Structure formats: C-alpha cells, structure tokens
C-alpha cells in the first residue's frame, strides 16, 4: 500500500484515539463533579442559555388540553412563577426544563415518591442518572415533534460516502490513477458536504439530540431502580450504534477539527442523518416517549434537590371538604413567618399595606399549585381538596393594549365568571377594584363577592382595605386580618393572620413617622374625623 495511504490511516487512527482519550478524561471530570452538585445544592449550569425556550412545550401543546384545567398566564405571573421556576430548576436537560414549566402549569405531574426516595437515598443511582442526563445537556432546545419531520434523501449523495473507499481500492491496483481519483473525490465530497450542511444544520443538530435522548433512555431504562418505559428500542438499533459518529453539527463542537475534516471527506453526517431519520419518523410516538422519560427523570432529580434546599417541606394529602395547613410559608421568602389555618369557608382579608395579606394569599395559592404539580408544599402539614387555581392580584396599566389600571382589574375579575362550575375552584382576589373611587369600589366589590359566594364549587380568598366591605359581607365571608403596631416611632408587622376584621388604621400615623411636614400630618388627622 502506498506510503501516503499509510500516513492518512495513521492520522485517522491517531485522531480517533485522541478523541476517545479526551472523552474519557471529560467523563471522569463530570462524574467527579456531579456528587458535589447534590451535596452543595447547585445546578450544573449557573446561567440561562440565550437559545432557551422554557415554555415551548407548554405553548405547543396547551390547545390539546382543557385550558380551564391549566394555570393561565394571569395566575402564572401573579404568583411570580417564573422566579419560582428558576429557583426549582436543577434540571440537566433542555427538555427537563420545558417539562418542569409544563408541570407547574398543570399539564404534567412530578409526583413519583418512590423515585424521589431513590434520588435521596441511593447515591449510585442518582449519580448514574445525573451523568447520562448531563451528557444530553442543554446545548439544543428541540422543537419537537417538528425535528422528526423527514427530509428526502438524494441517493447519489448517499453513494458519495463510498467514493473515497472505492478510490483507495483503485489505488491498490493503480497507484497513480487511484491517488488522482482519491484527491478529486475528496475535493468533491468536501465541497458537497459544506454546501449541504448549511441547508440542514438545524436538522442535523436535532438528529444528534434525538439520538442522544433515545440512547440515554435505553441505558437508563435498564436500571432496576428506575421506572420502566414502553418503547421497543430494537426500532432504533442504527441510531443507538452509530449516532455517536454524527457528533454535534458544528465544527467547533467536534472534539478535534481533524475528525470533522474526515467526516466531510466521507460525507458521514449526510449519510448517517438519512440512515437514522426514517426510524425516528416511523416510530415518532416512541421517540416522544423517550423525550418524556428523560425529562421525567430530570424533573424528579430537580424537585428532589429543590426539596433538599428547603428549611422544611411536606408531602400534601388530599381530602374532600377543606384546606388545612400548619406553618405555611411562601417558598420564595427566607425566614418567612409561618401561618396555620383550617379553611372551609370563603375569607375576606383586611389590613394595611405591607401587613402580609398579599404574601399570605400568594403562599396559599402557590402551595395549592405545587401540591397538584410536584407533590410538595412548604408547610409542615398541608391537606387540601384538589381544584383549579385562579388569581386576580397584580394588575397594572398597559400601554400596548391601552387598558387603564381599572380596566385591567375588570378583565382579570371578569374571567372568573367564565370558569366552568363542575369542579372545585380556588379564587384569590387582592385589593378588589382598588382602581376606582371608594363608593363604587365597595358597591361593585360587594356585588361580585356575593355572587361568587353563591357557587358551592368556589373557595374565595379576597383582600381589601375597605372595612365597610367587611361589614357588608360579614354573613357571607369569614373576616380575617393582618395588623401592625407602632412603637417608638417605628412600625412593626408580625405577619400573623388573625380572626376578625382589621382594627387598626395607621396610614396617617405613618405620615408622621416618615417625616412628612407637621402641618400635613395635623391637617390629615383633623380631616379624617370629618370624613
């Protein structure tokens, strides 16, 4: 065999060995790092990728569900769920992140307590799962199932993979002719590969990601400690055995440029892409099952680690007639004041600003959401009747829609009347109709809350500054309040819920404490007695 061929062969072998050694070293580093993530309660990646689409799965599939059963956009934003998602997000994979958002919006469930226990107690299984999830990673945020759409193959291009091999065989018979053909074929394949790759680079990325997901699902499903998956992996033998040759589509993602160069010479990416894609489209449901399996494992790891980060949590229990909780706190607050209550009635909350009304309502709403999505609550005890969750809390003017604050309130509250009344519904309304004048606010609020009270399926928790409203609704709503005290010219809040309506009004005293001019304070104090 000519010397040049020996040199080419040696270069190929050396490059492959270098890639293998590099992968082994990187794998060892990753395996050593993973246990420290669990011990230190840290994610593998501490940044948000610019190509992230956390809500893509939810937005893609929400129309396939009864949207009344999902957490709508208003409630999602009122409850600061994007911020809570970021705190809970210890996922290794892009599809895990997307599924976590879907679960928090009640499209999916993360509630396998046996799997939570495995991750908490079995270091070997936890690290085994974490390693394979980390190898999938977040480099690609797939657009499923669009990435499974087949692309028509060109059989001449497929045959181009064999042309360098044919040229090498000819070289053995006729050195001069063979080397000339080999050079021409290599130039042709490189030009063709570069041209084609620009047209299907995203599809190649998706194919690599699909193959990686299927491969990891196969390996993870073989563990006796993990849930089974209903997929016949024989359908994906080619993908599992040869997809590693694809590497990632872009050259800078290949371990070494030499390997990318060899792949171009042999048209390997195009060849393997079309060899593998047919099985993915033919068995699309099984590919998507692998996606959900990987994301499900990722989610349970993420929630298990989030639980570990909490000062305390409980697994909720369901009942048929009430909500009962001990030491409930909001999951976004550090050193929060806990509250305990049994709620089997509609509630009207009164109290001054910053006394704790909104935080209490959000804490209860968020925990009802978490109980029904990730089977976790930030309370020592949480018993509840499952139901839909709707909020009308954080309203604001909208320049783009032209809505005033009050119009935004009207739309937010009006949607509550369109909820089907065939199941339990929790409604949280904060500072109802505060965007209009006192007289009309009280009249409208009484009318709305009285009507909602007539529905046996609704549990209403509303907050107001209007003590008069508490008097009007005292036979329909149970009055509770938060209050504050002023000591040594400082205001103090205990953030503890109490029975009855608010019995303090300290707004004018706050004028004095915050150093308003004395004549402002005295005039306000004089006026309040006449109003």
């Amino acid at each position: 065999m000519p010397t040049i061929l020996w040199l080419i062969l040696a270069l190929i072998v050396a490059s492959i060995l270098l890639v293998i050694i590099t992968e082994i070293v990187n794998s060892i580093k990753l395996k050593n790092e993973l246990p420290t993530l669990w011990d230190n309660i840290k994610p593998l990646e501490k940044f948000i990728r610019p190509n992230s689409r956390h809500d893509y799965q939810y937005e893609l599939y929400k129309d396939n569900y009864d949207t009344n059963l999902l957490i709508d956009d208003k409630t999602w934003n009122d409850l600061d769920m994007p911020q809570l998602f970021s705190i809970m997000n210890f996922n290794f994979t892009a599809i895990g992140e997307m599924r976590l958002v879907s679960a928090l919006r009640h499209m999916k469930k993360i509630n396998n307590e046996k799997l939570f226990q495995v991750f908490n107690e079995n270091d070997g299984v936890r690290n085994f799962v974490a390693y394979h999830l980390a190898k999938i990673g977040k480099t690609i945020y797939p657009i499923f199932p669009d990435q499974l759409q087949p692309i028509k193959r060109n059989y001449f291009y497929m045959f181009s993979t064999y042309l360098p091999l044919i040229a090498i065989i000819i070289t053995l018979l006729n050195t001069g002719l063979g080397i000339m053909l080999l050079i021409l074929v290599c130039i042709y394949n490189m030009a063709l590969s570069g041209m084609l790759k620009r047209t299907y680079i995203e599809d190649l990325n998706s194919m690599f990601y699909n193959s990686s997901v299927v491969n990891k699902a196969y390996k993870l499903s073989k563990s006796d400690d993990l849930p089974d998956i209903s997929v016949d992996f024989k359908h994906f033998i080619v993908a599992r055995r040869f997809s590693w040759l694809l590497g990632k589509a872009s050259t800078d993602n290949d371990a070494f440029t030499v390997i990318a160069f060899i792949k171009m010479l042999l048209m390997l990416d195009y060849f393997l892409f079309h060899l593998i894609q047919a099985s993915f489209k033919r068995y699309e449901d099984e590919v998507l099952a692998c996606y959900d399996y990987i994301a499900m494992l990722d989610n349970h790891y993420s929630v298990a680690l989030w639980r570990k980060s909490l000062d305390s949590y409980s697994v909720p229990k369901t009942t048929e007639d009430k909500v009962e909780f001990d030491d409930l706190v909001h999951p976004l607050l550090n050193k929060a004041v806990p509250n305990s209550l049994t709620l089997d009635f509609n509630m009207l909350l009164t109290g001054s600003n910053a006394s704790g009304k909104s935080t209490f309502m959000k804490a209860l709403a968020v925990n009802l959401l978490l109980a029904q999505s990730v089977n976790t609550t930030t309370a020592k005890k949480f018993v509840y009747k499952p139901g839909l969750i709707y909020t009308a809390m954080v309203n604001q003017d909208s320049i783009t829609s032209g809505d005033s604050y009050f119009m935004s309130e009207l739309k937010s509250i009006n949607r509550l009347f369109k909820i089907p009344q065939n199941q339990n519904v929790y409604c949280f309304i904060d500072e109802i109709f505060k965007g209009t004048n006192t007289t009309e606010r009280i009249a409208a609020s009484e009318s709305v809350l009285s009507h909602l009270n007539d529905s046996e399926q609704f549990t209403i928790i509303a907050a107001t500054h209007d003590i008069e409203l508490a008097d009007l609704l005292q036979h329909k709503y149970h009055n509770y309040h938060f209050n504050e005290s002023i000591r040594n010219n400082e205001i103090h809040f205990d953030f503890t819920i109490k029975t009855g309506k608010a019995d303090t009004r300290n707004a004018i005293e706050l004028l004095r404490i915050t150093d308003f001019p004395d004549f402002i304070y005295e005039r306000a104090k004089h006026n309040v007695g006449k109003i």
Side-chain angles (χ1 to χ4, degrees):
M1 190 164 64
T3 303
I4 189 172
L5 293 183
W6 282 112
L7 291 174
I8 293 173
L9 181 61
L11 181 62
I12 292 174
V13 171
S15 299
I16 292 174
L17 288 175
L18 198 54
V19 168
I20 293 173
I21 293 171
T22 301
E23 286 297 309
I24 291 173
V25 171
N26 289 338
S27 295
I28 292 173
K29 288 182 179 178
L30 179 60
K31 288 179 178 179
N32 289 334
E33 182 182 7
L34 292 174
T36 67
L37 299 178
W38 181 268
D39 294 337
N40 296 319
I41 314 179
K42 291 182 178 180
L44 182 61
E45 293 186 358
K46 302 176 181 64
F47 58 91
I48 298 175
R49 290 179 176 267
N51 62 325
S52 63
R53 296 188 299 266
H54 297 149
D55 63 348
Y56 179 79
Q57 182 179 19
Y58 171 79
E59 293 294 340
L60 180 67
Y61 289 112
K62 66 181 180 181
D63 291 338
N64 297 341
Y65 291 77
D66 180 351
T67 54
N68 292 302
L69 303 179
L70 305 176
I71 301 298
D72 71 357
D73 291 343
K74 174 63 176 168
T75 302
W76 179 258
N77 291 314
D78 279 355
L79 297 180
D80 303 304
M81 290 308 296
Q83 185 179 354
L84 182 56
F85 163 79
S86 67
I87 289 175
M88 297 175 65
N89 182 20
F90 294 96
N91 289 284
F92 290 102
T93 68
I95 53 178
E97 290 183 330
M98 290 190 279
R99 191 182 187 277
L100 178 57
V101 169
S102 296
L104 291 174
R105 300 198 72 154
H106 289 184
M107 182 182 287
K108 300 282 186 179
K109 298 284 187 182
I110 307 172
N111 59 1
N112 188 331
E113 287 300 321
K114 181 180 178 181
L115 190 52
F116 285 138
Q117 185 177 3
V118 168
F119 286 144
N120 280 321
E121 299 177 0
N122 194 322
D123 294 350
V125 174
R126 183 180 66 241
N127 292 330
F128 170 72
V129 172
Y131 172 75
H132 286 293
L133 295 178
K135 295 296 282 185
I136 296 174
K138 302 177 184 178
T139 304
I140 298 170
Y141 279 77
I143 307 176
F144 52 90
D146 293 348
Q147 79 274 18
L148 300 177
Q149 297 300 321
I151 298 175
K152 187 176 181 181
R153 70 175 64 177
N154 182 306
Y155 286 98
F156 179 75
Y157 294 164
M158 295 287 289
F159 182 71
S160 295
T161 296
Y162 300 103
L163 292 179
L165 302 178
I166 294 172
I168 290 174
I169 293 174
I170 294 175
T171 301
L172 298 176
L173 303 176
N174 188 323
T175 302
L177 177 62
I179 291 177
M180 183 179 66
L181 288 175
L182 182 60
I183 293 172
L184 291 174
V185 165
C186 288
I187 293 173
Y188 170 78
N189 275 4
M190 286 181 63
L192 183 60
S193 180
M195 179 187 70
L196 292 175
K197 207 168 188 179
R198 288 195 296 270
T199 66
Y200 73 104
I201 187 169
E202 290 302 324
D203 299 299
L204 189 59
N205 274 319
S206 296
M207 185 60 60
F208 174 78
Y209 196 85
N210 291 339
S211 300
S212 182
V213 167
V214 170
N215 225 343
K216 298 305 183 184
Y218 170 71
K219 292 178 179 178
L220 291 168
S221 66
K222 294 169 70 175
S223 172
D224 293 334
D225 296 294
L226 300 176
D228 294 327
I229 178 174
S230 181
V231 169
D232 185 354
F233 286 100
K234 293 179 181 178
H235 295 154
F236 309 108
I237 289 178
V238 174
R240 288 194 291 108
R241 290 182 178 175
F242 299 105
S243 61
W244 63 273
L245 287 172
L246 281 173
K248 295 180 178 63
S250 57
T251 301
D252 59 351
N253 281 327
D254 286 298
F256 292 96
T257 305
V258 173
I259 297 298
F261 179 73
I262 295 170
K263 286 163 60 179
M264 291 181 70
L265 293 181
L266 296 175
M267 286 280 290
L268 269 182
D269 281 339
Y270 186 88
F271 182 82
L272 289 173
F273 174 86
H274 287 281
L275 199 63
I276 293 171
Q277 72 159 350
S279 63
F280 284 167
K281 186 58 185 176
R282 186 178 303 116
Y283 303 107
E284 179 178 312
D285 290 343
E286 291 188 321
V287 175
L288 294 179
C290 290
Y291 266 65
D292 195 65
Y293 183 76
I294 291 295
M296 177 274 297
L297 293 177
D298 205 5
N299 289 168
H300 280 80
Y301 174 95
S302 182
V303 172
L305 189 50
W306 174 66
R307 283 180 171 184
K308 189 172 182 285
S309 74
L310 298 172
D311 292 333
S312 66
Y313 73 89
S314 64
V315 176
K317 297 180 180 179
T318 58
T319 185
E320 293 296 325
D321 56 358
K322 62 184 177 182
V323 177
E324 182 180 1
F325 49 85
D326 292 338
D327 292 345
L328 177 81
V329 296
H330 196 294
L332 288 177
L333 296 180
N334 295 320
K335 298 180 180 179
V337 175
N339 278 286
S340 302
L341 190 68
T342 298
L343 181 68
D344 56 359
F345 45 77
N346 291 330
M347 175 192 293
L348 187 64
L349 277 170
T350 50
S352 61
N353 280 321
S355 61
K357 302 187 306 298
S358 299
T359 300
F360 171 79
M361 293 170 68
K362 287 184 178 182
L364 179 53
V366 167
N367 274 277
L368 284 166
L369 186 156
L370 293 174
Q372 297 175 85
S373 55
V374 299
N375 209 39
T376 307
T377 59
T378 51
K380 289 185 178 179
K381 172 186 175 183
F382 196 88
V383 179
Y384 74 105
K385 180 179 180 180
L388 310 182
I389 303 164
Y390 283 83
T391 64
M393 301 183 76
V394 184
N395 300 300
Q396 56 187 358
D397 298 338
S398 173
I399 295 176
T400 55
S401 67
D403 288 342
S404 66
Y405 183 97
F406 184 60
M407 185 58 67
S408 176
E409 278 189 299
L410 291 177
K411 290 181 177 180
S412 176
I413 294 173
N414 187 44
R415 84 192 203 286
L416 304 180
F417 296 100
K418 301 174 184 178
I419 305 171
Q421 299 187 25
N422 58 355
Q423 56 189 306
N424 190 42
V425 181
Y426 295 97
C427 292
F428 297 84
I429 308 174
D430 192 17
E431 298 191 24
I432 182 170
F433 292 139
K434 82 170 187 176
T436 190
N437 64 81
T438 303
T439 301
E440 290 185 301
R441 177 174 65 249
I442 293 173
S445 299
E446 191 280 336
S447 179
V448 167
L449 293 177
S450 291
H451 178 79
L452 292 175
N453 180 72
D454 293 337
S455 174
E456 294 183 357
Q457 300 298 324
F458 277 55
T459 299
I460 311 296
I461 300 93
T464 181
H465 287 292
D466 298 312
I467 304 298
E468 300 85 352
L469 184 59
D471 293 331
L472 290 172
L473 294 172
Q474 62 183 328
H475 299 299
K476 299 179 180 179
Y477 283 74
H478 289 236
N479 281 312
Y480 280 77
H481 73 278
F482 288 84
N483 63 3
E484 70 290 325
S485 60
I486 296 178
R487 301 190 301 272
N488 299 322
N489 283 334
E490 292 184 351
I491 187 167
H492 298 272
F493 298 102
D494 62 12
F495 304 113
T496 302
I497 193 168
K498 305 172 183 69
T499 58
K501 62 184 180 181
D503 54 3
T504 59
R505 292 187 178 185
N506 292 322
I508 292 178
E509 283 302 306
L510 287 174
L511 293 177
R512 178 177 60 83
I513 291 172
T514 54
D515 295 325
F516 271 70
D518 288 342
F519 70 88
I520 297 290
Y521 166 70
E522 294 296 339
R523 184 179 181 86
K525 191 174 180 180
H526 174 73
N527 288 340
V528 75
K530 299 190 298 183
I531 296 176

